[in-house]
Amino acid sequence: QMNKFIYITLTFLLLMVFGASWVIDTANSSRVLKKIKTVPNFSFINQNGQKFTNFNLEGNISIIDFMFTNCPGPCPIMANNMKELYDDHSKVHQVQFISITVDPKTDNIERLKQYSDSYGVNDVRWQFLTSQIDSIKDLKQNGFMLYADNLPQGHAVKFILVDHNGMIRQYYDGTDKASIAVLRKDIKLLLKELS
């Protein structure tokens, strides 16, 4: 009699667990990423001295952040999180990563190249961009709707997800593992839109 009770209880618990995971999976698969706004025109220079513009966003899923190479605070955490995403998507050439400096006086092309090398960047999937400070501020504030005063210290710690049409779809905390986990799922969602 006792064994039967244990068996029924365990079966019930298993059904509850599977039911809960089914609900979570269903909720995740039905997640809809709203279209926030289109990234405006810009023309910056990457760590290899090549031009990189908003047209380079088309056809790719892009994860974008703002940083500077000698940032003592959140930038190394963000860069490490970006590096993990970069490595994890090494076989997915439609996913690219873009880090834009907010300290162009210090972060010239040579400095950005050294920085990209230090993170093992060996292909075009992770771009480090620079421009004039006014252009960077304008893109940050008006293009991505992020705080752009008091640069470089006052930069945002957001990762921005941009779809293959150059449309901003979501913002994430670039220093937070839970937020990065959501970003991973959302990249998969946008990859489905591409296929």
Side-chain angles (χ1 to χ4, degrees):
Q1 192 71 27
M2 190 59 152
N3 283 347
K4 192 174 180 184
F5 173 75
I6 291 169
Y7 175 77
I8 290 168
T9 305
L10 282 174
T11 305
F12 178 72
L13 285 172
L14 277 172
L15 285 171
M16 293 241 337
V17 167
F18 284 121
S21 72
W22 178 82
V23 167
I24 290 165
D25 286 344
T26 305
N28 285 337
S29 66
S30 63
R31 178 171 161 84
V32 175
L33 290 172
K34 60 188 183 288
K35 294 180 178 178
I36 298 170
K37 69 175 286 210
T38 303
V39 176
N41 292 344
F42 70 90
S43 181
F44 288 3
I45 300 293
N46 73 6
Q47 73 269 31
N48 298 312
Q50 299 158 332
K51 190 161 74 164
F52 189 97
T53 77
N54 51 295
F55 295 110
N56 293 100
L57 303 177
E58 292 177 8
N60 294 303
I61 292 154
S62 305
I63 296 89
I64 300 170
D65 74 340
F66 290 86
M67 46 60 77
F68 60 109
T69 60
N70 61 358
C71 165
C75 295
I77 299 165
M78 292 166 67
N80 286 329
N81 287 334
M82 196 76 102
K83 165 73 169 155
E84 275 184 29
L85 291 167
Y86 169 77
D87 288 344
D88 292 347
H89 292 85
S90 61
K91 304 262 192 296
V92 190
H93 297 292
Q94 304 98 318
V95 179
Q96 67 180 351
F97 304 88
I98 300 155
S99 293
I100 303 170
T101 183
V102 291
D103 185 13
K105 269 188 186 169
T106 305
D107 294 339
N108 58 23
I109 292 163
E110 292 76 20
R111 182 74 176 252
L112 290 176
K113 180 72 174 112
Q114 288 167 1
Y115 195 73
S116 73
D117 288 346
S118 74
Y119 280 95
V121 176
N122 55 13
D123 59 24
V124 297
R125 292 179 309 110
W126 192 354
Q127 303 276 335
F128 292 81
L129 306 183
T130 187
S131 185
Q132 299 297 317
I133 188 64
D134 291 345
S135 303
I136 293 165
K137 272 188 179 178
D138 183 56
L139 183 65
K140 189 170 193 275
Q141 195 159 356
N142 301 318
F144 289 106
M145 302 176 297
L146 293 172
Y147 182 78
D149 292 337
N150 190 31
L151 294 179
Q153 283 77 17
H155 72 93
V157 296
K158 297 293 183 194
F159 283 1
I160 309 142
L161 182 62
V162 176
D163 71 16
H164 60 286
N165 293 315
M167 180 73 65
I168 299 168
R169 299 295 288 271
Q170 191 60 266
Y171 294 85
Y172 309 83
D173 183 338
T175 65
D176 179 65
K177 290 291 185 190
S179 191
I180 302 296
V182 176
L183 170 56
R184 285 176 189 280
K185 290 178 180 171
D186 290 347
I187 290 170
K188 284 181 185 164
L189 273 182
L190 290 191
L191 281 169
K192 282 182 188 166
E193 284 185 20
L194 256 180
S195 54

